[in-house]
Structure formats: C-alpha cells, structure tokens
Amino acid sequence: MRRYHLAVIPGDGIGPEVITESVQTLVSLAVAHGGFHFDIQQFDWGTERYLREGAMMPADGLTTLERGGFDGILLGSVGDPRVPDHITLWGLILPIRQAFDQYVNLRPLRLFPGVRSPLAGKHPKDIDIVCVRENTEGEYAGAGGRVHQGTEDEVAIQTTIFTHMGVERIVRYAFEYARQYGRKKVTSATKSNSMQYTMVFWDEIFRQVAAEYPDVAHEQQLIDSLAARFVAHPESLDVVVASNLFGDILTDLGAALSGSLGLAPSANLNPQRRYPSLFQAIHGSAPDIAGKGIANPLASIWSGQLMLDFLGEHEAAALLMRAIEEVLARGQVRTPDLGGTATTRQFGFAIQEQVQSQVAQ
Ligand code: NAD
Ligand code: MN
C-alpha cells in the first residue's frame, strides 16, 4: 500500500468549503481504489489566525511543511476583506511558492462537454489550452519598496526580475510538457515591444530553447493581442508559456471562457521534488459567496486530480478525470456558477458517487 502524507490548508472564504470536497473525493477514491492511502494533516493557517496572532502562519511554518515529509500540499484559497490582499497573499501563498521553488504553475483550461462557454459557437474541441506560468520571479519577485511614505514626495518601486535560469527552466518545462503530452505547439506570451529589457531577454531565451525542440512548433505573441486571441480563436492555442503576471491574468480569462472560474485548477510544481508541490484552484476566496455553501468545488477537486498525476497515481487520476467529465456531461447536478442549483456538498457528492460507481464497474 502506497502512503501519501498530505498537508491541507483550507484558508479563507470559500477555501474551507471547496477543500472539504476535494479531500473527501481523494479519500474516498483511495479507499475505492485500494492501492494507496492518504495521511492528512490539517493547518488552520489564514486570515483568522492573522487576526488572532498577527501572522497568517507560524514563524516556522515553512520549516514545518518542509520537514514534515509531505508528498503534497492542498490549499483552498487566501484573502479576506478585513485584511489588505497583499498582506494575506504575501503571508502564505507567495512565500510557499518561492521557498519551495515551485517554479511551474501548471494551469489546464478546458471547455467540458455539457458546459456552456460564454463564447458563442465554441465547442469543447475549441478550448483545450495548457498554460505554463512562471511562478517564482518576474513581476511577482517581491522586490521593491516605498520611500517618503505618506508624503507628497512618496515613491513606490516594484522591480520585475527575470533570471536566465528562471526563464530557461520555465520555457523548457513548456516544451517538455508539449512533447510528453503530445501537444503540437508552444506559444510564448511577450511584451517585448514596450519592455525592451526583460521581455526581449525572455524572447531570446524562448527562441534558444525552442530550437532544441524541432518536433514542437513555436511562436510568440504580444500579450495584449494574445488576450484578444484567447477570446477570438482559442482553438488556435495549445500550450502557452507566460511570465508570472501575464500567466495569472490569461488564466482567469481562460477559466471564464471555459465556463466558470470555479472550474480551473492549478499545480504549483517543484519538478525536481526537492520540496513538496502545492495544488489549488486558480480562483480566490470569493468573499461574495463565501459561507453560502454554493461555491463550485470542481476547481479544487481537479487540482487534487493534478496531484494524483504528479504523485504517479495515473490510474486513479484518469478515473477521477472521467468522473468529472461524466458528471459535467450529464448536467443534472451543478452549482449556480454553471447555471444549476446544487450546493457545494451536492456537487462534491455527485463526483464522489460517480467515482464509486466507476470503480465498481
Ligand atoms: P475570486 O476568484 O475570489 O472571485 C472572482 C469571482 O468569481 C467572484 O464573483 C466569485 O464569486 C467567483 N468565483 C470564484 N471561485 C468560485 C467558485 N469556486 N465557485 C463559484 N464562483 C466562484 O477573485 P477576487 O474577487 O478578485 O479575489 C477575492 C479574494 O481572493 C482577494 O482577497 C484576493 O486577494 C484573493 N485571491 C486569492 C487567490 C489564491 O488564494 N490563490 C487567488 C486569487 C485571488
Ligand atoms: Mn490569479
């Protein structure tokens, strides 16, 4: 029996609601499958802790995660209207991504059969994009400062940092991913017309790496017109590699095009497995619907599926993916973001039931 040690951080807003369904799905899948088992350790890190103790996580939180022998981290979401967003994000998520060198943020975007895209005339075969987002540097490197704060002379500087190693490894990951998963093309999101240092550097490295993969087509496009292309011709996109900020924005757009922000998952990967990787929906804490029990848990459940894949549990991962597809295609149970009336619990339960019936077959 393979045993996996999971850290679960439900976090804020809808985080605890959706993560409950994700964990429940993984646990019942493991029981039904019979080949592996999850040991779960939960952490109450987040805004409530911040308000109580002045920090989102304990001072030794990163060490706890690193030394705890975790095979993966599942995270709900972080963010609360009572605390400025840069405090909550820099108090928990961004430090984990950087400290654990989770330099790949893998974000698949798919229109599932049975789900309606806001784009007229687009079908499941038209929207199937994998975004490979750089996750540790670029625009979110966290370098900068404010001086003369509160005076009329105030200056704010946020420095974008691109390193040769950082750009090369993310571009290489995109090409390797394309090769491994039989995808045909890698599109690089750039802005080298206005950012003449960082993005010209990005383009140069993209071309150098692309030359090593003659079997995979490549192209680059300026981020503004690429955003328009996501809407006008999503079927022309396959794998997209993007910097931290560009990838962040493009994937919320892609999630909306695939039917809901409540569907899109992500894997924050340290491909070398020196540190645990982290799996979470791409959406935030959705304060507008938090506590109502109507959030779509699929993005979190699919993130758990990405974790199964990363752990090497390919059979279980394929089974869960089929259950997600099946329940969406049937269309009987779905949350309000997808036009239905089901609760988070009912939608999660429908997936868990489908998993059980597939295993029984
Ligand atoms: P958001 O993703 O939380 O919400 C945007 C919209 O999408 C809202 O109308 C929300 O109701 C809807 N939505 C999101 N997830 C949904 C789901 N699972 N089911 C149904 N509807 C869903 O983005 P925001 O409003 O810009 O940010 C809210 C908070 O989340 C902020 O504090 C922000 O900093 C934080 N945030 C955190 C993360 C993260 O934890 N990784 C990511 C993005 C934003
Ligand atoms: Mn985002």
Side-chain angles (χ1 to χ4, degrees):
M1 174 88 80
R2 297 177 292 280
R3 299 190 87 87
Y4 300 110
H5 196 190
L6 294 191
V8 174
I9 310 172
D12 303 330
I14 62 169
E17 301 167 42
V18 294
I19 212 77
T20 300
E21 296 312 319
S22 169
V23 169
Q24 187 57 42
T25 303
L26 288 171
V27 168
S28 63
L29 173 57
V31 171
H33 182 277
F36 57 95
H37 174 85
F38 290 113
D39 292 316
I40 290 169
Q41 192 170 338
Q42 192 146 322
F43 296 90
D44 70 342
W45 302 348
T47 298
E48 288 301 336
R49 190 186 186 283
Y50 176 85
L51 292 172
R52 223 172 43 235
E53 304 185 34
M56 297 288 286
M57 63 175 158
D60 63 354
L62 291 173
T63 314
T64 303
L65 288 181
E66 187 184 347
R67 307 254 169 90
F70 293 106
D71 298 292
I73 305 167
L74 287 181
L75 192 136
S77 53
V78 162
D80 187 298
R82 292 171 292 176
V83 180
D85 288 334
H86 65 278
I87 306 249
T88 48
L89 218 60
W90 277 105
L92 188 53
I93 293 183
L94 297 177
I96 294 178
R97 289 179 182 168
Q98 290 191 342
F100 293 169
D101 207 18
Q102 294 165 348
Y103 65 86
V104 174
N105 193 324
L106 193 66
R107 297 185 155 194
L109 304 157
R110 260 183 76 185
L111 177 59
F112 286 96
V115 176
R116 233 184 61 192
S117 168
L119 297 179
K122 295 297 177 196
H123 305 286
K125 65 172 171 34
D126 300 321
I127 304 180
D128 182 7
I129 302 168
V130 175
C131 186
V132 176
R133 168 191 174 192
E134 202 291 318
N135 210 31
T136 51
E137 54 175 46
E139 305 87 344
Y140 299 175
R146 290 171 67 170
V147 287
H148 309 306
Q149 218 163 329
T151 74
E152 290 200 348
D153 298 327
E154 181 161 2
V155 180
I157 296 175
Q158 184 103 31
T159 306
T160 297
I161 296 177
F162 285 87
T163 66
H164 195 289
M165 179 201 63
V167 178
E168 185 183 338
R169 66 185 182 174
I170 196 67
V171 170
R172 193 172 291 288
Y173 188 91
F175 279 97
E176 287 290 335
Y177 182 92
R179 210 174 242 181
Q180 188 181 340
Y181 288 89
R183 289 185 173 258
K184 303 276 176 275
K185 182 172 63 185
V186 176
T187 303
S188 165
T190 185
K191 192 61 191 168
S192 46
N193 55 348
S194 16
M195 296 164 86
Q196 72 271 54
Y197 307 116
T198 52
M199 278 294 152
V200 169
F201 180 59
W202 170 282
D203 290 355
E204 284 169 11
I205 297 170
F206 178 72
R207 279 194 299 272
Q208 282 163 16
V209 174
E212 296 176 37
Y213 296 84
D215 49 320
V216 180
H218 68 276
E219 61 178 0
Q220 61 179 59
Q221 185 162 4
L222 299 170
I223 183 68
D224 35 2
S225 69
L226 180 57
R229 182 171 162 202
F230 259 66
V231 175
H233 302 292
E235 67 282 356
S236 70
L237 294 161
D238 197 344
V239 175
V240 174
V241 64
S243 65
N244 216 329
L245 170 67
F246 292 171
D248 191 6
I249 298 172
L250 277 180
T251 48
D252 265 39
L253 174 64
L257 298 180
S258 65
S260 171
L261 214 45
L263 289 175
S266 84
N268 298 261
L269 303 177
N270 174 246
Q272 288 72 30
R273 299 171 195 260
R274 179 152 188 271
Y275 302 98
S277 293
L278 182 148
F279 303 82
Q280 68 172 134
I282 79 167
H283 63 69
S285 57
D288 54 335
I289 58 165
K292 296 187 178 156
I294 55 164
N296 186 342
L298 263 196
S300 268
I301 293 174
W302 190 0
S303 300
Q305 191 272 347
L306 294 177
M307 183 183 75
L308 288 171
D309 224 13
F310 190 70
L311 292 175
E313 295 293 345
H314 303 299
E315 191 191 11
L319 198 144
L320 178 51
M321 201 65 228
R322 221 169 45 246
I324 293 173
E325 289 166 352
E326 188 60 35
V327 170
L328 283 173
R330 231 183 284 135
Q332 285 158 341
V333 185
R334 50 178 58 183
T335 40
D337 57 305
L338 294 174
T341 56
T343 61
T344 308
R345 183 71 272 271
Q346 288 166 336
F347 203 14
F349 186 70
I351 301 282
Q352 291 141 28
E353 236 183 4
Q354 180 60 30
V355 165
Q356 302 297 330
S357 81
Q358 283 175 201
V359 173
Q361 272 163 23

